[in-house]
Amino acid sequence: MTELTKLTIAEAREKLAAKAFTATELTEAYLSAIDTANEKLNAYVAVTHDKARAMAKASDERIAKGEAGALEGIPLGIKDLFATEDVHTQASSHILDGFKPKYESTVTANLWADGAVMLGKLNMDEFAMGSSNETSYYGPVINPWRAEGSNADLVPGGSSGGSAAAVSALLCAGATATDTGGSIRQPAAFTGTVGIKPTYGRCSRWGTVAFASSLDQAGPIARDVRDAAILLKSMASVDEKDTTSVDLPVPDYEAAIGQSIKGMKIGIPREYRLDGMPEEIEALWKQGIDWMRDAGAEIVDISLPHTKYALPAYYIVAPAEASSNLARYDGVRYGLRVPGKDIADMYEQTRAAGFGREVKRRIMIGTYVLSAGYYDAYYLKAQKVRTLIKRDFEQVFDQGVDAILTPATPSAAFGIADQEMASDPVKMYLNDIFTVTVNMAGLPGIAVPAGLDAKGLPLGLQLIGKPFEEETLFRTAHVIEQAAGRFAPNKWW
Amino acid sequence: MTLIDTRTPDPKRFISGATGDWEIIVGMEIHAQVTSEAKLFSGASTTFGAAPNANVSLVDAAMPGMLPVINEVCVKQAIRTGLGLKAQINLRSVFDRKNYFYPDLPQGYQISQFKQPIVGEGKVTVSVGPAKDGSFEEIEVGIERLHLEQDAGKSMHDQHPTMSYVDLNRSGVALMEIVSKPDIRSADEAKAFLTKLRTILRYLGTCDGNMDEGSMRADVNVSVRRPGGEFGTRCEIKNVNSVRFVGQAIESEARRQIAILEDGGSIDQETRLFDPAKGETRSMRSKEEAHDYRYFPDPDLVPLEFDQAYVDALAADLTELPDEKKARFIEAFGLSEYDASVLIAEKATADFFEKVAKGRDGKAAANWVINDLLGALNKAGQGIDETPVSADQLGAIIDLIKNGTISGKIAKDLFEIVFTEGGDPVAIVDERGMKQVTDTGAIEKAVDEVIASNPEKVEQAKAKPTLAGWFVGQVMKATGGKANPQAVNALVKEKLGIDD
């Protein structure tokens, strides 16, 4: 049965349709893989065996009747940030203890409507705040990848670390994830998987626990570019319940795969060449440029002059929104409540016990930057920077650039409980240096595996596109995938 | 906002303290619940009086991942109100979050409009009076802004020995906060302003104005100063829920501040509450305790934008406003300012009057509506919408006087019958023999009888012609008031030989 878990979504879809095996068999294969591996990898915070079996059975019935949907019988893992009806939904936080919503997020509802099967809820950084999946109340996720000759545990990246690890370790056929500053692309890069953050407004945010509303966007993490395209097609939709979602038809992303990139203009931003950037990253980037050129694309040097302000501005805007978004976790209506001597004491006790260190840090930062007397200097200025970053991209695209190629991360996966990162939060924040500009500008960005570093750990490249031109990203990323090949960890778990 | 003094100090509004005269300065913030079926950002019902937590959606309860969606009905209501306040309508406005913790505020923030409200500056003309001589004075109160915001839920502290209960039915209901400029100079003006504002909102159908149900409440900013001097430090009296209390709160707060100032003290800027039982205000929180609300634009909502055509369409459909109606009533029906003011105070009354006045004498219609109908309704504790006498019925009564079928005196009796028993006035007059006697033969007979049985009075009348009135009265009495008074008068004079 384990062979079944090796199939991509596209392959499994074909074989299910051909009745080579049943959705139930496929689901059982994944459930059994999870049951074996999860103790070691900690990718899932809840496994929904019964629900998965019931959904698979329903899929088999629809397949039998010839009523199969686009994702019929495909077993998926769902990031714990998405509300799933009657199922554990806690954003991997203690403060949402026992919370099982009576509603289903629009993104997951779209997937189930297309016939997908839910395997369970995936671990993540608490409230999606983190770049290593170490801030989860449910403990860190372990990266299925290890450096050659080492048994040391590595982080899978974050915040969608559970999603990336589960996809990489074949514990689901694909996974939902979310990206506020790089939370899809960075873990994808750290695990040799493909992750796309679509344009802001492409997927509905309704029913997804909010971190920073103006930046949050759902997207898939998948084994390859085609699977990412298949998943995004199902996840994306306009939604009258989310007025920031955009009413544009969702294209057949899969059709873009394999299309030539000949004559496309690929921009290489000089500001992304950082001082002290590892040579391996530099080499990878150059390799990516060569692959693009070899495929007939025109390579142009571009400038995105406000790039260096993106990360500091992001760490003002995102915490500001988060400080307000997380105010609802007050112990009054749901989740954790720690009794207090009066209402203020109850709030303080509950929030002190319910939120982890990183979440508290960001609430404090956000509260500070919105405070009277500081608003103009921080929040307002950060919003102005955001406008400038957006304009940088617009100007480049106006010059005819179709997509921008950058490294996905400044390094490969690092160790669990890395001392340097733990002692200096800013070091951790630097993980998002290449990805955060994309969120600030609301653009689509894809991370695709492009090679291994000297220790045998995966590295990714990022492609950034124009608003709602995800097809360009699938086309270009597929070229890299074709050239670089695919990467899988050696099973040790 | 910059404070601009638009009024000239007027000694008749001063209140005198121990050390001289003081002038009261008042500005108001009125929270008016928008008349709409559903809440501002959720589809939940706004029905008053539902069981606790019956009207609560996932959005109102701030469940994780929920998002607000603007209710267009509320937007239209705010625009209509802005038009009614002769105010600037902003084609682009922004919703902000006002952050604070309270159990009846599930999101931990209220969605409001801070820097860019939907409605800007406007004005309300307020008629203050009548004074002892019956005159009215018109003042203009500037409107600073109107914005849309969510109401909070309700905390109930008396349901459990140690816990509080929360009812979220009101949570998310749309409110319009209407902010006046500090243009009000007395408690009477404040009451008149609030009453006028309520009239305008009711005309527009944008707020039902029921203060006892909490649909309208006022925060009153009060300060005092020496006449014409610099504005003093203000105190804000929160959540005053009747027109009368607004007056009382201002009076008592002004007195409190004057007493402090005359004692050589100074006013602390603070938020106060009015205690209707004691008739005084008490401190709620000081400026130092004031919240830092950390306003910022709500990232869940795109800016609210519409074009001028959208506003124009609403303006074209706007109902006639009280000021316009009053002017028209004075002009078209020849009414006095006072009568017109009374009639337009409630739109239903004005509509009723217009129905009665249609094709009839406007003044007569106004007299009947104001003196008889409103008087009777008031006595019965009923509103115009509960009137047992319809406009058609009242019109029929007026017609019966006009065509001479009944006298004005009989008409009062007829009105009483219609008010208490109902029925068609024409039929009642017929059935109960209330018709005025215009048959001169019958009148003559009655006059003859009265003259014949009062020979002494006849003699007296010849010397003193004014006594003719006594004979007229006797004839009217004898005919049960049905005789035509003019005909009786003429005949009496003729028979007594009195010249006109």
Side-chain angles (χ1 to χ4, degrees), chain A residues 193-222:
Chain A
T193 55
V194 176
I196 179 165
K197 181 206 91 77
T199 314
Y200 185 79
R202 181 68 286 180
C203 291
S204 167
R205 292 184 297 114
W206 192 88
T208 309
V209 175
F211 161 15
S213 312
S214 73
L215 300 157
D216 295 344
Q217 187 57 208
I221 290 181

mmCIF file of all heavy atoms in Angstrom, chain A residues 193-222:
data_model
loop_
_atom_site.group_PDB
_atom_site.id
_atom_site.type_symbol
_atom_site.label_atom_id
_atom_site.label_comp_id
_atom_site.label_asym_id
_atom_site.label_seq_id
_atom_site.Cartn_x
_atom_site.Cartn_y
_atom_site.Cartn_z
ATOM 1 N N THR A 193 9.662 20.976 -1.573
ATOM 2 C CA THR A 193 8.302 20.926 -2.130
ATOM 3 C C THR A 193 8.008 22.232 -2.869
ATOM 4 O O THR A 193 8.786 23.178 -2.825
ATOM 5 C CB THR A 193 7.257 20.717 -1.017
ATOM 6 O OG1 THR A 193 7.419 21.753 -0.031
ATOM 7 C CG2 THR A 193 7.435 19.359 -0.343
ATOM 8 N N VAL A 194 6.853 22.234 -3.544
ATOM 9 C CA VAL A 194 6.445 23.426 -4.286
ATOM 10 C C VAL A 194 5.340 24.129 -3.507
ATOM 11 O O VAL A 194 4.376 23.490 -3.074
ATOM 12 C CB VAL A 194 5.909 23.032 -5.689
ATOM 13 C CG1 VAL A 194 5.394 24.272 -6.425
ATOM 14 C CG2 VAL A 194 6.997 22.342 -6.494
ATOM 15 N N GLY A 195 5.515 25.436 -3.323
ATOM 16 C CA GLY A 195 4.469 26.190 -2.611
ATOM 17 C C GLY A 195 4.166 27.481 -3.332
ATOM 18 O O GLY A 195 5.081 28.202 -3.729
ATOM 19 N N ILE A 196 2.905 27.763 -3.529
ATOM 20 C CA ILE A 196 2.549 29.024 -4.180
ATOM 21 C C ILE A 196 1.646 29.848 -3.277
ATOM 22 O O ILE A 196 0.662 29.354 -2.732
ATOM 23 C CB ILE A 196 1.893 28.811 -5.567
ATOM 24 C CG1 ILE A 196 1.511 30.172 -6.184
ATOM 25 C CG2 ILE A 196 0.668 27.889 -5.502
ATOM 26 C CD1 ILE A 196 1.204 30.122 -7.671
ATOM 27 N N LYS A 197 2.045 31.101 -3.110
ATOM 28 C CA LYS A 197 1.159 32.087 -2.479
ATOM 29 C C LYS A 197 0.517 32.838 -3.624
ATOM 30 O O LYS A 197 1.183 33.568 -4.346
ATOM 31 C CB LYS A 197 1.933 33.074 -1.613
ATOM 32 C CG LYS A 197 1.000 34.099 -0.937
ATOM 33 C CD LYS A 197 1.679 35.413 -0.594
ATOM 34 C CE LYS A 197 1.574 36.450 -1.695
ATOM 35 N NZ LYS A 197 0.259 37.117 -1.796
ATOM 36 N N PRO A 198 -0.781 32.684 -3.831
ATOM 37 C CA PRO A 198 -1.406 33.391 -4.945
ATOM 38 C C PRO A 198 -1.569 34.881 -4.638
ATOM 39 O O PRO A 198 -1.259 35.333 -3.543
ATOM 40 C CB PRO A 198 -2.749 32.700 -5.096
ATOM 41 C CG PRO A 198 -3.032 32.095 -3.761
ATOM 42 C CD PRO A 198 -1.711 31.828 -3.112
ATOM 43 N N THR A 199 -2.055 35.610 -5.622
ATOM 44 C CA THR A 199 -2.328 37.034 -5.460
ATOM 45 C C THR A 199 -3.292 37.246 -4.294
ATOM 46 O O THR A 199 -4.223 36.453 -4.108
ATOM 47 C CB THR A 199 -3.005 37.578 -6.734
ATOM 48 O OG1 THR A 199 -2.293 37.095 -7.868
ATOM 49 C CG2 THR A 199 -3.027 39.110 -6.740
ATOM 50 N N TYR A 200 -3.087 38.329 -3.526
ATOM 51 C CA TYR A 200 -4.011 38.657 -2.441
ATOM 52 C C TYR A 200 -5.414 38.811 -3.023
ATOM 53 O O TYR A 200 -5.608 39.536 -4.007
ATOM 54 C CB TYR A 200 -3.585 39.957 -1.751
ATOM 55 C CG TYR A 200 -4.441 40.286 -0.548
ATOM 56 C CD1 TYR A 200 -4.232 39.655 0.677
ATOM 57 C CD2 TYR A 200 -5.478 41.208 -0.643
ATOM 58 C CE1 TYR A 200 -5.018 39.936 1.768
ATOM 59 C CE2 TYR A 200 -6.277 41.501 0.449
ATOM 60 C CZ TYR A 200 -6.043 40.852 1.659
ATOM 61 O OH TYR A 200 -6.832 41.126 2.740
ATOM 62 N N GLY A 201 -6.371 38.092 -2.465
ATOM 63 C CA GLY A 201 -7.740 38.169 -2.971
ATOM 64 C C GLY A 201 -8.126 37.000 -3.865
ATOM 65 O O GLY A 201 -9.277 36.848 -4.242
ATOM 66 N N ARG A 202 -7.129 36.152 -4.202
ATOM 67 C CA ARG A 202 -7.412 35.009 -5.099
ATOM 68 C C ARG A 202 -8.177 33.912 -4.338
ATOM 69 O O ARG A 202 -9.101 33.292 -4.863
ATOM 70 C CB ARG A 202 -6.084 34.486 -5.675
ATOM 71 C CG ARG A 202 -6.176 33.321 -6.642
ATOM 72 C CD ARG A 202 -6.819 33.641 -7.971
ATOM 73 N NE ARG A 202 -8.264 33.812 -7.903
ATOM 74 C CZ ARG A 202 -9.035 34.088 -8.948
ATOM 75 N NH1 ARG A 202 -8.497 34.229 -10.153
ATOM 76 N NH2 ARG A 202 -10.326 34.224 -8.808
ATOM 77 N N CYS A 203 -7.747 33.664 -3.100
ATOM 78 C CA CYS A 203 -8.466 32.705 -2.254
ATOM 79 C C CYS A 203 -9.212 33.479 -1.180
ATOM 80 O O CYS A 203 -8.725 34.489 -0.674
ATOM 81 C CB CYS A 203 -7.495 31.737 -1.566
ATOM 82 S SG CYS A 203 -6.708 30.592 -2.687
ATOM 83 N N SER A 204 -10.379 33.000 -0.824
ATOM 84 C CA SER A 204 -11.150 33.635 0.247
ATOM 85 C C SER A 204 -10.444 33.440 1.586
ATOM 86 O O SER A 204 -9.885 32.380 1.858
ATOM 87 C CB SER A 204 -12.540 33.008 0.321
ATOM 88 O OG SER A 204 -13.180 33.396 1.517
ATOM 89 N N ARG A 205 -10.508 34.463 2.418
ATOM 90 C CA ARG A 205 -9.958 34.347 3.777
ATOM 91 C C ARG A 205 -11.033 33.926 4.772
ATOM 92 O O ARG A 205 -10.750 33.749 5.950
ATOM 93 C CB ARG A 205 -9.342 35.681 4.207
ATOM 94 C CG ARG A 205 -8.096 36.054 3.416
ATOM 95 C CD ARG A 205 -7.454 37.333 3.945
ATOM 96 N NE ARG A 205 -8.342 38.470 3.800
ATOM 97 C CZ ARG A 205 -8.881 39.159 4.818
ATOM 98 N NH1 ARG A 205 -8.595 38.821 6.046
ATOM 99 N NH2 ARG A 205 -9.679 40.175 4.583
ATOM 100 N N TRP A 206 -12.274 33.780 4.308
ATOM 101 C CA TRP A 206 -13.359 33.463 5.237
ATOM 102 C C TRP A 206 -13.148 32.098 5.877
ATOM 103 O O TRP A 206 -12.920 31.107 5.177
ATOM 104 C CB TRP A 206 -14.713 33.507 4.512
ATOM 105 C CG TRP A 206 -15.864 33.476 5.474
ATOM 106 C CD1 TRP A 206 -16.456 34.540 6.080
ATOM 107 C CD2 TRP A 206 -16.562 32.318 5.970
ATOM 108 N NE1 TRP A 206 -17.471 34.129 6.910
ATOM 109 C CE2 TRP A 206 -17.556 32.769 6.864
ATOM 110 C CE3 TRP A 206 -16.429 30.942 5.737
ATOM 111 C CZ2 TRP A 206 -18.425 31.900 7.535
ATOM 112 C CZ3 TRP A 206 -17.286 30.065 6.403
ATOM 113 C CH2 TRP A 206 -18.269 30.546 7.285
ATOM 114 N N GLY A 207 -13.182 32.078 7.180
ATOM 115 C CA GLY A 207 -13.006 30.823 7.894
ATOM 116 C C GLY A 207 -11.554 30.443 8.113
ATOM 117 O O GLY A 207 -11.267 29.360 8.610
ATOM 118 N N THR A 208 -10.643 31.314 7.733
ATOM 119 C CA THR A 208 -9.232 31.083 8.023
ATOM 120 C C THR A 208 -8.869 32.000 9.191
ATOM 121 O O THR A 208 -9.116 33.206 9.117
ATOM 122 C CB THR A 208 -8.355 31.424 6.812
ATOM 123 O OG1 THR A 208 -8.880 30.749 5.673
ATOM 124 C CG2 THR A 208 -6.928 30.999 7.032
ATOM 125 N N VAL A 209 -8.332 31.437 10.244
ATOM 126 C CA VAL A 209 -7.984 32.238 11.414
ATOM 127 C C VAL A 209 -7.025 33.344 10.972
ATOM 128 O O VAL A 209 -6.009 33.068 10.333
ATOM 129 C CB VAL A 209 -7.335 31.358 12.502
ATOM 130 C CG1 VAL A 209 -6.868 32.205 13.673
ATOM 131 C CG2 VAL A 209 -8.325 30.292 12.968
ATOM 132 N N ALA A 210 -7.375 34.582 11.303
ATOM 133 C CA ALA A 210 -6.609 35.716 10.795
ATOM 134 C C ALA A 210 -5.335 35.950 11.589
ATOM 135 O O ALA A 210 -5.319 35.873 12.812
ATOM 136 C CB ALA A 210 -7.476 36.975 10.826
ATOM 137 N N PHE A 211 -4.252 36.224 10.870
ATOM 138 C CA PHE A 211 -3.008 36.694 11.490
ATOM 139 C C PHE A 211 -2.900 38.171 11.130
ATOM 140 O O PHE A 211 -3.152 39.027 11.966
ATOM 141 C CB PHE A 211 -1.843 35.831 10.981
ATOM 142 C CG PHE A 211 -0.450 36.394 11.138
ATOM 143 C CD1 PHE A 211 -0.176 37.475 11.985
ATOM 144 C CD2 PHE A 211 0.619 35.820 10.451
ATOM 145 C CE1 PHE A 211 1.121 37.977 12.114
ATOM 146 C CE2 PHE A 211 1.919 36.324 10.591
ATOM 147 C CZ PHE A 211 2.159 37.400 11.405
ATOM 148 N N ALA A 212 -2.572 38.484 9.876
ATOM 149 C CA ALA A 212 -2.518 39.879 9.429
ATOM 150 C C ALA A 212 -3.381 39.974 8.172
ATOM 151 O O ALA A 212 -2.960 39.558 7.085
ATOM 152 C CB ALA A 212 -1.090 40.295 9.148
ATOM 153 N N SER A 213 -4.558 40.527 8.354
ATOM 154 C CA SER A 213 -5.600 40.431 7.323
ATOM 155 C C SER A 213 -5.192 40.953 5.952
ATOM 156 O O SER A 213 -5.634 40.432 4.936
ATOM 157 C CB SER A 213 -6.843 41.188 7.781
ATOM 158 O OG SER A 213 -7.174 40.838 9.095
ATOM 159 N N SER A 214 -4.377 42.002 5.913
ATOM 160 C CA SER A 214 -4.046 42.593 4.611
ATOM 161 C C SER A 214 -2.929 41.835 3.906
ATOM 162 O O SER A 214 -2.572 42.160 2.780
ATOM 163 C CB SER A 214 -3.648 44.070 4.782
ATOM 164 O OG SER A 214 -2.369 44.176 5.367
ATOM 165 N N LEU A 215 -2.379 40.831 4.569
ATOM 166 C CA LEU A 215 -1.249 40.070 4.011
ATOM 167 C C LEU A 215 -1.558 38.583 3.863
ATOM 168 O O LEU A 215 -0.972 37.904 3.009
ATOM 169 C CB LEU A 215 -0.026 40.230 4.926
ATOM 170 C CG LEU A 215 0.484 41.658 5.141
ATOM 171 C CD1 LEU A 215 1.281 41.764 6.440
ATOM 172 C CD2 LEU A 215 1.337 42.107 3.971
ATOM 173 N N ASP A 216 -2.453 38.069 4.703
ATOM 174 C CA ASP A 216 -2.746 36.626 4.716
ATOM 175 C C ASP A 216 -3.301 36.157 3.380
ATOM 176 O O ASP A 216 -4.207 36.784 2.826
ATOM 177 C CB ASP A 216 -3.832 36.300 5.757
ATOM 178 C CG ASP A 216 -3.410 36.561 7.194
ATOM 179 O OD1 ASP A 216 -2.207 36.706 7.444
ATOM 180 O OD2 ASP A 216 -4.308 36.605 8.062
ATOM 181 N N GLN A 217 -2.797 35.060 2.916
ATOM 182 C CA GLN A 217 -3.376 34.470 1.716
ATOM 183 C C GLN A 217 -3.119 32.962 1.744
ATOM 184 O O GLN A 217 -2.031 32.505 2.067
ATOM 185 C CB GLN A 217 -2.770 35.103 0.453
ATOM 186 C CG GLN A 217 -3.385 34.703 -0.858
ATOM 187 C CD GLN A 217 -4.892 34.958 -1.003
ATOM 188 O OE1 GLN A 217 -5.573 34.273 -1.736
ATOM 189 N NE2 GLN A 217 -5.424 35.926 -0.298
ATOM 190 N N ALA A 218 -4.154 32.214 1.415
ATOM 191 C CA ALA A 218 -4.037 30.752 1.381
ATOM 192 C C ALA A 218 -3.441 30.299 0.061
ATOM 193 O O ALA A 218 -3.567 30.977 -0.956
ATOM 194 C CB ALA A 218 -5.415 30.119 1.556
ATOM 195 N N GLY A 219 -2.799 29.148 0.108
ATOM 196 C CA GLY A 219 -2.249 28.551 -1.105
ATOM 197 C C GLY A 219 -1.864 27.117 -0.793
ATOM 198 O O GLY A 219 -1.899 26.699 0.360
ATOM 199 N N PRO A 220 -1.495 26.360 -1.816
ATOM 200 C CA PRO A 220 -1.140 24.955 -1.590
ATOM 201 C C PRO A 220 0.361 24.731 -1.422
ATOM 202 O O PRO A 220 1.174 25.516 -1.900
ATOM 203 C CB PRO A 220 -1.610 24.287 -2.882
ATOM 204 C CG PRO A 220 -1.420 25.348 -3.924
ATOM 205 C CD PRO A 220 -1.598 26.685 -3.246
ATOM 206 N N ILE A 221 0.712 23.639 -0.746
ATOM 207 C CA ILE A 221 2.061 23.085 -0.825
ATOM 208 C C ILE A 221 1.888 21.694 -1.431
ATOM 209 O O ILE A 221 1.013 20.932 -1.011
ATOM 210 C CB ILE A 221 2.745 23.034 0.557
ATOM 211 C CG1 ILE A 221 3.063 24.470 1.029
ATOM 212 C CG2 ILE A 221 4.024 22.176 0.493
ATOM 213 C CD1 ILE A 221 3.765 24.551 2.373
ATOM 214 N N ALA A 222 2.701 21.407 -2.459
ATOM 215 C CA ALA A 222 2.504 20.173 -3.223
ATOM 216 C C ALA A 222 3.841 19.565 -3.601
ATOM 217 O O ALA A 222 4.892 20.166 -3.411
ATOM 218 C CB ALA A 222 1.681 20.471 -4.478
#
